Structures are given as C-alpha cells and as structure tokens.
C-alpha cells in the first residue's frame, strides 16, 4: 500500500514539475482557448499539488519551493477573484524574486546555497571550492535580478506572446546556458 502511495506521489510530483515548467505556454494557450474561468482552477490545482508534494535536497530549498508554489496560488486566486488575467503573468517575476532572496541571503550565511548543494556530493569541499561556490552563488544572484527584470518588462509590455516566448523559452535557454558554462568552468578548474 505504501509503495503504491509513493508511486502516486512521485507521479504527481513529476506532473506538477512539467506543469510548472510549461506554465508560460499553458497561460498563453489557456487564455486564448479557455479564458480565466477554466485556466485559474487548473493552475490553482497544479500549484496546490506542488505545495503539497515539493521536497528539496535542503530544508532551505523546500521552504522556498513551497513559497514559490504559494506565490502561484496567491496570483491565481487574485486573478480569478478579480477576473484579471494579467496578474497570471507575474509568476515568473515572483519566482525570480524568491530565488534571488534565497541565493542572496545565503551569501550572509556560513555556507551559500551552492556550497550546500556541492557538499551533498563532495562533503570535504576544498577552500578553493568554497570560494568558487560563493562566486557561483553571486553569479546566480545577478542572473535572477536580470531575468526578473526582463520577466517584469514582458509583463508590463502587455504582449502575452512576447511574455510566453521569453518566460517559456528564452529564459529557460539562458538558465541552461548559465548551467552549462558553470559546468565547463568547474570541470576546467577541477583539472588544475
């Protein structure tokens, strides 16, 4: 029984991850096809499931993951109550803001988020590794600020197609590019 429950929970987690990643495209096509009356309850359900099933590798990540899901619930609820679809566009702004807060606040802690994640696979991180992870955390902070402002610009511009293109495509490409560059730099530094 518990094995079946775990499978269902895993399936729900993966479905919500896919739905959250596809959020910009879902909003863009959902607003064109169904309108807020159908789209808001569907998005609300996805965010509620995400809130209930999110588990990060670190407790700090779990808290912020749940905060991001809660932000989605609030934006969807206000959009549905006010019948104002433009509020749905601000979810990527909220995500970037919360991620910036997470990464920036960790720079004041003994270990940055990136260092804590690195220590999951390499517990005995060298002093040079600690400095490197702090730099990577700073780079991600800068990325979240820039990405958040670009997401905000697409909201204020009022062009839902542009918003979906940036937040559902270009933004993910930039994240992948940054992750790829960081991986290449890390591998080169490990060889030195």
């Amino acid at each position: 029984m518990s094995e079946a429950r775990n499978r269902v929970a895993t399936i729900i987690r993966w479905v919500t991850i896919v739905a959250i990643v596809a959020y910009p495209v879902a909003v863009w096509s959902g607003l064109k096809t169904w309108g807020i009356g159908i789209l808001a309850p569907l998005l609300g359900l996805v965010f509620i499931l995400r809130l209930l099933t999110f588990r990060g590798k670190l407790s700090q990540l779990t808290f912020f993951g749940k905060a991001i899901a809660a932000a989605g619930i609030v934006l969807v609820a206000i959009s549905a109550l006010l019948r104002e679809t433009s509020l749905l566009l601000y979810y990527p702004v909220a995500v970037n803001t919360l991620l910036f807060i997470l990464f920036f606040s960790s720079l004041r802690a003994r270990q940055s988020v990136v260092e804590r994640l690195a220590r999951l696979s390499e517990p005995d991180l060298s002093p040079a590794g600690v400095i490197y992870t702090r730099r990577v955390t700073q780079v991600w902070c800068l990325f979240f600020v820039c990405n958040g402002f670009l997401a905000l610009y697409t909201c204020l511009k009022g062009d839902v197609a542009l918003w979906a293109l940036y937040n559902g495509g270009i933004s993910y490409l930039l994240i992948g590019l940054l992750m790829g560059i960081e991986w290449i730099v890390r591998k080169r530094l490990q060889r030195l």
Side-chain angles (χ1 to χ4, degrees), residues 93-107:
V93 177
V95 169
N96 279 283
T97 301
L98 288 169
L99 288 171
F100 170 76
I101 290 168
L102 169 66
F103 279 67
F104 185 75
S105 65
S106 79
L107 289 171

Side-chain angles (χ1 to χ4, degrees), residues 22-72:
Y23 179 87
V25 174
V27 168
W28 175 67
S29 72
L31 289 176
K32 285 174 56 172
T33 309
W34 306 315
I36 192 78
I38 294 174
L39 184 61
L42 288 174
L43 291 174
L45 178 63
V46 167
F47 285 123
I48 289 168
L49 288 172
R50 186 70 174 151
L51 180 68
L52 296 174
T53 62
F54 187 85
R55 285 174 187 63
K57 291 183 179 181
L58 305 170
S59 61
Q60 196 176 18
L61 292 179
T62 300
F63 172 79
F64 275 90
K66 289 181 182 257
I68 289 169

Side-chain angles (χ1 to χ4, degrees), residues 3 8 12 24 43 45 63 83 100 104 118 141 145 148 150 154:
E3 189 176 319
V8 169
I12 290 172
L43 291 174
L45 178 63
F63 172 79
R83 310 287 289 163
F100 170 76
F104 185 75
C141 287
V145 167
L150 286 169
T154 64

Side-chain angles (χ1 to χ4, degrees), residues 96-160:
N96 279 283
T97 301
L98 288 169
L99 288 171
F100 170 76
I101 290 168
L102 169 66
F103 279 67
F104 185 75
S105 65
S106 79
L107 289 171
R108 298 176 153 253
R110 195 169 59 79
Q111 293 180 345
S112 68
V113 170
V114 176
E115 179 183 345
R116 291 182 70 194
L117 288 170
R119 286 186 184 278
L120 292 175
S121 61
E122 194 176 325
D124 297 326
L125 198 60
S126 69
V130 170
I131 292 168
Y132 176 76
T133 57
R134 187 159 290 279
R135 288 278 183 241
V136 171
T137 303
Q138 293 168 341
V139 168
W140 277 107
C141 287
L142 179 62
F143 175 83
F144 292 132
V145 167
C146 294
N147 197 46
F149 275 116
L150 286 169
L152 179 61
Y153 171 78
T154 64
C155 294
L156 298 174
K157 184 82 171 149
D159 181 348
V160 178

